[in-house]
Amino acid sequence: MRIGLMSFDHLHAISYLAALSLRPDIELVGVTDQDPERGSRLAQTHNVPFIEKADELLDRVDAVIITS
């Protein structure tokens, strides 16, 4: 399953990334954030693609986790 993460506002967003990365049945497609600087920095730190526009992320995934 292809999953994306939307927003780093919530405290648990990073732990969700960690949990998803451990699952062999999940492809973590990317993350988006309303604060592009924060989103890009955290995506790079966690080795996940940053996708600037939410619509572009939604076009690439089967599901999203929204951590607002």
Side-chain angles (χ1 to χ4, degrees):
M1 177 178 282
R2 296 170 300 152
I3 295 183
L5 185 124
M6 298 180 81
S7 180
F8 282 105
D9 278 343
H10 194 276
L11 173 65
H12 293 105
I14 293 171
S15 64
Y16 293 155
L17 284 178
L20 291 169
S21 70
L22 296 174
R23 300 223 16 189
D25 58 335
I26 298 293
E27 176 188 352
L28 189 52
V29 174
V31 299
T32 190
D33 192 72
Q34 65 275 17
D35 178 345
E37 184 178 319
R38 173 181 63 181
S40 179
R41 178 176 39 83
L42 288 170
Q44 185 175 29
T45 298
H46 296 282
N47 200 30
V48 179
F50 178 70
I51 300 170
E52 193 167 332
K53 296 184 180 187
D55 288 343
E56 290 179 24
L57 177 64
L58 292 172
D59 286 342
R60 301 178 190 185
V61 297
D62 300 311
V64 294
I65 297 173
I66 302 171
T67 55
S68 58

